[in-house]
Amino acid sequence: MRDQNIRALLTGREYPALKVVLNSMNNVDLASLLENFTEKEYTILFRLIQKEKAAEVFTEMSSHMQETLINAFTRTEIKELFDDMYMDDTVDIIEEMPANVVEQILDVTDKETRQTINRLLKYPEDSAGSIMTVEYIDLKKDMTVEQALKKIKRVGIDQETIYTCYVIEQKKLLGIVTAKSLLLNEEHVLIQDIMETNLIYVNTHEDKENVSKLFHKYGLLAIPVVDCEHCMVGIVTFDDAMEVWQDEVEEDMSIMAAMQPNEDSYFGTSVLSHARHRILWLLVLMLSATITGAIITKYEDAFQTLPLLVSFIPMLMDTGGNCGSQSSTLIIRGIAVDEIRFHDFFKVVFKEFRVAILVGFVLAAVNGLRIMLMYHSLRMAVLIGLSLIATIILAKIVGCCLPLLAKKIGLDPAIMAAPLITTLVDTCSILIYFNIATHLFSL
Amino acid sequence: MRDQNIRALLTGREYPALKVVLNSMNNVDLASLLENFTEKEYTILFRLIQKEKAAEVFTEMSSHMQETLINAFTRTEIKELFDDMYMDDTVDIIEEMPANVVEQILDVTDKETRQTINRLLKYPEDSAGSIMTVEYIDLKKDMTVEQALKKIKRVGIDQETIYTCYVIEQKKLLGIVTAKSLLLNEEHVLIQDIMETNLIYVNTHEDKENVSKLFHKYGLLAIPVVDCEHCMVGIVTFDDAMEVWQDEVEEDMSIMAAMQPNEDSYFGTSVLSHARHRILWLLVLMLSATITGAIITKYEDAFQTLPLLVSFIPMLMDTGGNCGSQSSTLIIRGIAVDEIRFHDFFKVVFKEFRVAILVGFVLAAVNGLRIMLMYHSLRMAVLIGLSLIATIILAKIVGCCLPLLAKKIGLDPAIMAAPLITTLVDTCSILIYFNIATHLFSL
């Protein structure tokens, strides 16, 4: 609807009307609307957006559109665009652009900004430094509330957040003052009397995942970042922290489904790239599964004599896999949200063991009943029941131990999810199954 | 360390020192620290917390601790505690408490508050109304910035957020004004000239999951909630939205691992309850897997003649399951973050088909090579290769279609994840495998 209106106005070259429509739209919606137009069209449309709004819309766009626009822009236009942008967004864009585009951006920035950009680019990829911004409001402890509010009025427009201000002395962070306490206190009150000194802050090299966890835990809007000498160097704002959190969830889910994580969207990833991200784990798991095959071969005589044995293999394998993946998912999530730690190891194992016993007996009973009804063989019911209980106990123990062990040795616990657990449990459950079978049926 | 210090001070009854230590702590940390003490101890400790701080610490505690404290408190203490609490937190607590405790809480609240609580309790469980607060700052459009700031100073202390203010006329929402624009504009400017009228808002009955998505999409701090007559009734703040979002992720992950979702923490759930949440799906999937077993029984003659056939079953089943779970995970996540919609059906299927072809050929080639080296049988290599490719195509198509179809008919797409997909694909892949085998080897 909106698309069509804008397209009609564009074809009719009704630029004043277009300006009104575009500038009244929400920045996020506007950026996603422009995706539906051709390069030529969205270049025209983008130029109709107000200067102050343009930078915010630009940061919401896809890298591809950003690149096209920069290439279409004059030097002055690029300068205007990046002058209005927050430093962390500039750095994010630079990280995504090819060298020639980066050159054009750096070319229009002043020396000081360029130095800051270069410093920010040097922080390790997953560190707090790489997602922080250097623009924040700093106050002095002997200012009054009135002076602080005046300073905010003077410099606030260029800051990503004005809701948390930082009290700095000789580059060291002394405390924070929220806009709320500035607004609720009288004008003559001194900053040092209302600042919060019980601080939550991170080091520049802190893993950005841990930073985003702090936002969740404490419900923060921004967190200060300090360097090794405890000097304040920047802040991470909650929008960036939420993005990190969302990325981590996507990454965990991908790894848990045996894929290498991919930062691009589903449709934004090519078929070839999708295949590349999925093939490695499939190969590893496929070749591991041949071990289970090799074990089966050893019991050829058994299932030659009693072919019915083969028909229970899928049920045993699937149940083992499902039980293992239930446990591993719970433990992986528990580790991710910091509920479960390595020192809980035995507590977790004991809990899973008891759950396995309960689940195992119920499943064995139901299945035993089914087998009695279908095949009238108590021995077969006992075989499947025992194998099920053993498989379930094994699957639950493996499923809870491996993520914890992975965490302990510094691997991502998400690797130890359903696919790997399933393959491991399969091998063991087949071994248990045929062992019990050969004894029970004297094969 | 801190625990021990506090325990030492508590044993020594050094209450003034304890007061200083407790009141200098962060509220979230303080709540989790109190968990480590006995009921008697934390009741004493809680009473040492400053009145204004106490309500915030209380809302961060576990339901069990909250219940104990309320039962230990006098009527006056309960009144003081709940007077300082935000309405949405009060409602959250009431929802968790047994009837006798709820009575004690309602007993100390005034008539007006009680009516509000009752209204909030009536909203459907997963609606915006159930997570909103009714405390927000309302302004009039003909106020000046100065008047607005004075109003904030007067009433702000009791509001959950003062960073977004709402311009109301005859109960209708006209616009929003951020604290940022109040702080950056001159005192004489009129609210109507700086208010944002391009509004993002939700209805009281909107699903809370959709509300939390809006926070993510637009980077909001709060969202206004209106009733059916478009009258403003409350706001949802970002901390509650983030909690909803985290709960949804946990819920999806549980369902995807064949468990019924559980709102309690891992250690907070009893063994019996863990078993109950896991057993239903395990039973359903176990019984479904017997279909695969029944198919195998039909091909008894085939694997009696060629026992090697059995040893490839685990590899085929695992690979099919993994391929299907890769696709379904991507699609379930794509649907969850609104990237993939039902009208993308054919686009998704075509994409997954091409990925399957690529992955299938690589896996078939690697496995073919292995079989040639191990068994020197070209026919066996061809059989496994063809079965693998067919299974992978099938798995990827089933894996991407089912979540989309589930969404279409109003089911949670997360149900159509690894476990169910695996069971379905198993049955088909076994059928394909034995069909090709009987033809190729004329069994």
Side-chain angles (χ1 to χ4, degrees), chain B residues 37-254:
Chain B
F37 289 86
T38 66
E39 291 188 6
K40 210 177 144 187
E41 285 169 343
Y42 67 67
T43 310
I44 298 174
L45 290 173
F46 188 81
R47 283 197 166 111
L48 296 172
I49 303 172
Q50 287 164 2
K51 205 178 140 299
E52 313 86 67
K53 195 181 173 78
E56 290 188 40
V57 176
F58 191 82
T59 54
E60 298 287 344
M61 290 177 162
S62 69
S63 309
H64 173 73
M65 288 177 73
Q66 290 173 341
E67 195 182 326
T68 316
L69 285 176
I70 294 176
N71 282 321
F73 280 177
T74 63
R75 197 171 180 280
T76 321
E77 279 176 317
I78 299 178
K79 186 168 165 47
E80 277 178 0
L81 183 66
F82 281 89
D83 278 353
D84 278 340
M85 208 174 285
Y86 298 125
M87 202 68 85
D88 57 341
D89 292 327
T90 307
V91 172
D92 283 351
I93 291 169
I94 285 178
E95 280 174 333
E96 297 289 324
M97 292 294 128
N100 66 318
V101 178
V102 172
E103 235 169 74
Q104 290 183 61
I105 299 173
L106 290 180
D107 189 42
V108 299
T109 53
D110 57 58
K111 200 180 155 199
E112 198 190 341
T113 312
R114 206 153 51 233
Q115 281 171 345
T116 313
I117 290 173
N118 280 325
R119 207 179 68 233
L120 288 175
L121 283 170
K122 275 189 199 120
Y123 287 110
E125 200 189 342
D126 288 331
S127 67
S130 75
I131 54 168
M132 76 182 183
T133 184
V134 291
E135 295 141 321
Y136 55 88
I137 291 183
D138 57 317
L139 303 175
K140 302 214 177 305
K141 65 175 181 179
D142 48 9
M143 277 180 168
T144 61
V145 166
E146 189 182 3
Q147 288 169 322
L149 288 173
K150 273 196 183 136
K151 174 153 192 185
I152 292 177
K153 190 164 279 174
R154 205 171 63 239
V155 302
I157 193 75
D158 291 327
Q159 311 307 322
E160 193 162 344
T161 181
I162 61 166
Y163 295 151
T164 319
C165 303
Y166 300 87
V167 188
I168 312 279
E169 194 173 59
Q170 290 176 324
K171 291 190 180 171
K172 300 270 194 284
L173 177 64
L174 294 185
I176 62 164
V177 180
T178 60
K180 183 167 184 174
S181 52
L182 289 176
L183 284 172
L184 298 184
N185 276 287
E186 296 304 327
E187 293 195 328
H188 58 81
V189 173
L190 286 179
I191 294 300
Q192 62 189 0
D193 295 331
I194 54 169
M195 71 183 184
E196 171 69 59
T197 52
N198 188 5
L199 296 173
I200 296 161
Y201 60 89
V202 293
N203 190 280
T204 45
H205 283 74
E206 182 70 54
D207 187 320
K208 64 180 182 182
E209 187 176 353
N210 294 333
V211 179
S212 83
K213 277 184 191 167
L214 288 173
F215 276 85
H216 260 272
K217 185 172 174 190
Y218 296 109
L220 304 172
L221 291 180
I223 199 167
V225 185
V226 300
D227 66 13
C228 304
E229 281 95 43
H230 267 81
C231 293
M232 170 107 182
V233 288
I235 57 170
V236 175
T237 50
F238 92 104
D239 51 327
D240 296 309
M242 291 306 113
E243 213 168 282
V244 169
W245 203 72
Q246 178 149 9
D247 287 348
E248 295 294 335
V249 168
E250 302 301 333
E251 193 183 308
D252 270 14
M253 285 210 177
S254 287

Side-chain angles (χ1 to χ4, degrees), chain B residues 349-367:
Chain B
V349 172
F350 184 52
K351 188 151 204 165
E352 287 301 308
F353 177 73
R354 286 174 295 164
V355 174
I357 297 277
L358 270 176
V359 171
F361 273 95
V362 174
L363 261 64
V366 172
N367 214 22

Side-chain angles (χ1 to χ4, degrees), chain A residues 24 29 198 218 266 351-352, chain B residues 24 29 198 218 266 269 352:
Chain A
S24 74
D29 292 334
N198 187 3
Y218 296 107
Y266 179 79
K351 187 152 204 164
E352 287 302 307
Chain B
S24 73
D29 291 335
N198 188 5
Y218 296 109
Y266 178 80
T269 308
E352 287 301 308

